[in-house]
Amino acid sequence: MKNNKMIKAFSTFAIVVLMLCAAPVMEHFGVDVSVTAQAAKSGYYTYTVSGGEATITKVDSSISGNVTIPDKLGGYPVTEIGSDAFQLCSIGTLTIGKNIQTVSTDSFMQPFINRFFVVSENKYFSSDSYGCLYSKDKKILVRYPIANMSESYTV
């Protein structure tokens, strides 16, 4: 009887150790062991958290005026603007903060944005006097603000 209890205890311990060690081994062999992030909401923003960083996935279309993307949501740095995040929003100036590293190609597909402004501390993006969103080195035009009323723009 005593041996059975010891065998059960050891077996339970071994299973726990295997479960804790399995994820790094599986990742090494290319198996995705990530956990699907749950969506959270803060003010106008819906976001997910993965790896300790927040991604804005949706912005309430009632947002208007000049908007600053928060540096943090739920205590996590906002590093990404996801696909269709700003769909159908009407914004004067959209200020992109220091933490944004990734802007999905279609983040701004249908919003009416007059201009982008990127804070100088951002290491990945910049903006120009027309309010265009560029890569930091200005070699890539990421997005022209669709509501910009300039008659011409030279790249």
Side-chain angles (χ1 to χ4, degrees):
M1 187 71 124
K2 191 174 183 182
N3 281 343
N4 283 345
K5 286 184 180 180
M6 288 191 61
I7 290 172
K8 284 183 180 180
F10 177 76
S11 296
T12 302
F13 175 76
I15 289 170
V16 169
V17 169
L18 284 172
M19 289 173 63
L20 292 173
C21 296
V25 172
M26 291 171 67
E27 284 179 337
H28 176 75
F29 290 103
V31 176
D32 182 13
V33 295
S34 61
V35 177
T36 303
Q38 293 282 336
K41 189 159 175 60
S42 177
Y44 291 105
Y45 303 97
T46 301
Y47 64 98
T48 57
V49 176
S50 180
E53 298 177 338
T55 298
I56 294 174
T57 57
K58 177 97 176 104
V59 178
D60 190 302
S61 61
S62 67
I63 199 169
S64 62
N66 295 333
V67 174
T68 298
I69 295 172
D71 284 332
K72 291 186 175 188
L73 286 170
Y76 298 98
V78 177
T79 60
E80 183 174 350
I81 302 171
S83 297
D84 295 323
F86 281 85
Q87 188 174 29
L88 302 176
C89 294
S90 183
I91 297 171
T93 297
L94 179 64
T95 299
I96 296 176
K98 64 182 179 183
N99 294 332
I100 298 295
Q101 300 172 18
T102 305
V103 174
S104 295
T105 315
D106 52 358
S107 295
F108 307 108
M109 287 303 284
Q110 296 179 3
F112 297 97
I113 297 175
N114 288 325
R115 66 184 306 109
F116 293 96
F117 176 77
V118 180
V119 298
S120 61
E121 297 86 6
N122 187 294
K123 297 178 184 177
Y124 302 92
F125 297 99
S126 62
S127 53
D128 66 7
S129 61
Y130 287 93
C132 296
L133 180 62
Y134 278 93
S135 59
K136 186 66 173 186
D137 60 8
K138 288 200 169 61
K139 290 183 178 181
I140 299 171
L141 174 61
V142 177
R143 196 75 173 144
Y144 183 87
I146 196 166
N148 185 315
M149 297 305 216
S150 299
E151 291 187 23
S152 65
Y153 182 74
T154 304
V155 179

